[in-house]
Amino acid sequence: MSTPHFKFEWLAIAADIAVEAGDAIMSIYASDEFAINTKDDASPVTAADLASHEVIVKRLKQLTPEIPILSEESVETDWSERRHWSSYWLIDPLDGTKEFIKRNGEFTVNIAFIVEDKAVAGVVYAPVLDKCFYGALDQGAWVEHSGRKQTLCNLSSDYVGAPRIVGSRSHISPGLEAYLQQIGEHQMKSVGSSLKFCLLAEGEADIYPRLGLTSEWDTAAAQAVLESAGGKVLQFETGKRLDYNQKEDILNPYFIAYAPHWR
């Protein structure tokens, strides 16, 4: 049985698209220099962001020409139109542009499928690490690395020590310190991009508190992977599941993500 409005066979195709987009990114990453421009919101953008965007949009339009696509690098669709979408692709062609610029390898290609307010399927591909995470709700979640495929729910940790907290490498928020004081003893690990969710799905970390701004394309694909593996992503203030396309702006509320073994 497939999730309503989503065909399970699309997941493998989306993973292939993410890898193709990753190849486009890596061709620029390997160059000696690449131009860095600044968008209206002061965030950086490179030719790699745009090259990945072009690959993904072209391939998704071939796969599902009738389904809308919302990308970080596309012209923003007006809320008056977007509010009527029952399903759509939500993509971040290069999540972690700052990590790309720093050349630390902690950046990803994110492709998600949204139905109503839920991220029901997602692919997160880390080109430098050659790791592809993908999952669909009620179907399962997997990671492929060096030709080996593993089921993410089988990787859940039986760790019982101090909570292993994962946080952003490039975005440190003031609210995080207060949250960590409430947690008490803990271990802290900083990682870029949506790889933070993936560490939870792999059982390598326990909690990802994001008490700072993110956009919906930053989180959707990785949330789908984590929740498909049995984890949770809950709004910090309400405890409700992090949802999508429910308001005019695309900024997420603060949230806490939990590994499958943690709740």
Side-chain angles (χ1 to χ4, degrees):
M1 183 182 72
S2 59
T3 305
H5 309 298
F6 180 77
K7 297 180 180 180
F8 182 64
E9 57 263 31
W10 292 350
L11 187 62
I13 298 172
D16 287 341
I17 294 171
V19 172
E20 183 179 337
D23 290 342
I25 290 171
M26 290 304 292
S27 66
I28 297 169
Y29 190 69
S31 63
D32 292 335
E33 294 184 4
F34 45 79
I36 303 169
N37 297 310
T38 303
K39 295 189 285 189
D40 291 342
D41 63 359
S43 62
V45 62
T46 71
D49 297 77
L50 302 178
S52 177
H53 165 85
E54 290 176 3
V55 168
I56 297 169
V57 170
K58 178 181 178 181
R59 291 285 308 277
L60 288 180
K61 284 183 176 179
Q62 292 172 345
L63 176 65
T64 55
E66 74 286 0
I67 295 177
I69 302 169
L70 182 63
S71 168
E72 181 177 10
E73 306 308 335
S74 62
V75 177
E76 188 170 341
T77 304
D78 191 84
W79 171 241
S80 61
E81 176 184 348
R82 183 164 51 85
R83 66 187 297 181
H84 299 295
W85 291 354
S86 60
S87 61
Y88 64 102
W89 295 99
L90 178 58
I91 66 176
D92 189 343
L94 202 172
D95 181 36
T97 301
K98 291 182 179 179
E99 316 310 328
F100 175 87
I101 293 169
K102 294 174 185 175
R103 295 182 181 271
N104 65 18
E106 295 177 356
F107 54 85
T108 59
V109 177
N110 297 347
I111 302 176
F113 194 85
I114 311 298
V115 176
E116 302 300 342
D117 63 344
K118 293 182 182 178
V120 302
V123 175
V124 176
Y125 176 58
V128 172
L129 304 179
D130 189 29
K131 296 184 79 170
C132 189
F133 302 84
Y134 53 94
L137 297 185
D138 303 322
Q139 300 289 331
W142 301 267
V143 57
E144 290 192 25
H145 179 50
S146 300
R148 183 184 181 192
K149 179 178 177 179
Q150 293 179 282
T151 303
L152 282 171
C153 62
N154 293 341
L155 299 179
S156 294
S157 173
D158 56 2
Y159 176 77
V160 294
R164 298 167 298 175
I165 311 296
V166 64
S168 174
R169 189 176 297 283
S170 298
H171 304 275
I172 306 299
S173 67
L176 180 59
E177 185 175 352
Y179 176 81
L180 294 177
Q181 288 178 348
Q182 293 179 2
I183 289 287
E185 183 184 357
H186 64 275
Q187 301 178 41
M188 188 72 191
K189 183 173 185 178
S190 296
V191 181
S193 74
S194 56
L195 287 170
K196 293 179 283 293
F197 290 94
C198 298
L199 286 178
L200 299 180
E202 288 184 295
E204 297 297 323
D206 305 308
I207 306 172
Y208 167 31
R210 187 54 183 255
L211 307 182
L213 294 179
T214 56
S215 295
E216 293 184 3
W217 45 60
D218 294 322
T219 58
Q223 178 178 356
V225 170
L226 177 58
E227 292 184 341
S228 297
K232 293 181 182 294
V233 184
L234 305 178
Q235 298 179 39
F236 182 68
E237 293 291 340
T238 67
K240 296 180 179 179
R241 181 189 203 167
L242 188 65
D243 56 15
Y244 293 87
N245 204 38
Q246 298 302 295
K247 59 190 188 320
E248 183 170 0
D249 69 74
I250 49 82
L251 293 177
N252 289 318
Y254 295 175
F255 62 84
I256 311 289
Y258 298 94
H261 61 269
W262 200 251
R263 289 175 64 91

